Amino acid sequence: MRRILVTGALGQIGSELVPALRKHYGDDRVVASDIRTATVGAETDGGPFEHVDCTQFHQIQEVVRRHDVGVIYHMAALLSAIAEEKPQVAWQVNMGGLYRMLEVARQYRCAVFMPSSIGAFGPATPRDGTPQDTIQRPTTMYGVTKVAGELLCDYYAGRFGLDTRGLRLPGIISHVAPPGGGTTDYAVDIFYQAVRYRHYSCFLRPDTCLDMMYMPDTIDAIIRVMEADPSRLVHRNAFNVAAMNFTPERLADEIRVHIPDFAIDYDVDPVRQAIADSWPRAVDDGAARAEWDWAPHYDLAAMTADMLEKLRVKLARSN
Ligand code: AKB
């Protein structure tokens, strides 16, 4: 059995994807990797860890060869707000990293998962019920790298017969690792601040509606799309996936169900607001439902209850 490589394993999604894949396929079959160094005994628990800078072709090649890797989950990327701050670095990491990953995958015949995003859409895209196949003219560097990444993955599938698959992920909410540098990060920060201080100052306007998803559904979607029967797949790169959509105002109301004196105010960041305003409010994920039976388990109420319960325990332990 060939092994699985996860890049960006210490990031928000990677740090929960690695344990899930290890549980699913076995500890030794999953090689975690990151440009950062793992804390021994924590993130590396239960399986191999490698230092990999995804912009360095020979580092990727060496790890793929040495571990006999057959599937790559390429999670290493800069998120939207940080990519807008450092567009040149974002191009290097998001595009340069993906290109090198695909080249190694071509040489060693690996399947590749690439996380695209709702950021792959732009202001000309229909914002409600955003179709699977529609206009994609993003106005951010993050979006440019995501659309180009989707196309590049399709190209490697068509030209070299590589099994590339991807999802257009919405804002991801989790209580394990922080996201860092995204436009949807508020939907994670708000929970930490609600538990700690019963107050949050939000960097998006109260009426900014965006798609979001809880981490257990995200991990489930990633594993499912990679295990999907290829004969059913009409699309590959990348599927719209949705679970819930809400505004900061609506999320604050839901938190108040559990913390009645929770207060929110707004200190709008014009850069992140402009990014959010260029994205869909609610995508149509009918293709994912039809082609690989996508069905999320968490809605806003279930996610909020679980986040608060888990964070109360986590933050009490760290005090
Ligand atoms: C971001 O905000 O940059 C990400 C995303 C929606 O792709 N969470």
Side-chain angles (χ1 to χ4, degrees), residues 79-81 117-119 142 169-172 181-185 279:
L79 293 181
S80 57
S117 160
I118 52 171
Y142 180 67
L169 294 174
I172 307 300
T183 302
T184 56
D185 292 10
W279 289 355

Side-chain angles (χ1 to χ4, degrees), residues 50-103:
E50 295 283 352
H51 174 268
V52 173
D53 174 349
C54 66
T55 66
Q56 301 302 314
F57 185 80
H58 294 293
Q59 279 186 24
I60 310 165
Q61 200 181 34
E62 200 273 321
V63 167
V64 165
R65 187 193 49 74
R66 184 156 44 83
H67 287 281
D68 188 22
V69 169
V71 186
I72 301 171
Y73 289 78
H74 179 47
M75 310 308 294
L78 261 60
L79 293 181
S80 57
I82 191 95
E84 239 8 67
E85 209 178 293
K86 303 175 183 172
Q88 297 82 358
V89 181
W91 179 263
Q92 292 276 23
V93 174
N94 292 11
M95 280 321 292
L98 177 63
Y99 169 68
R100 286 169 184 82
M101 213 53 69
L102 288 168
E103 266 302 291

Side-chain angles (χ1 to χ4, degrees), residues 200-232:
Y200 181 63
S201 189
C202 185
F203 58 75
L204 294 182
R205 271 197 327 263
D207 61 346
T208 310
C209 187
L210 292 169
D211 271 311
M212 301 279 175
M213 190 184 289
Y214 199 30
M215 187 63 91
D217 280 331
T218 311
I219 301 298
D220 183 47
I222 294 173
I223 294 177
R224 263 166 185 261
V225 75
M226 289 303 280
E227 287 193 338
D229 174 357
S231 68
R232 283 182 64 194

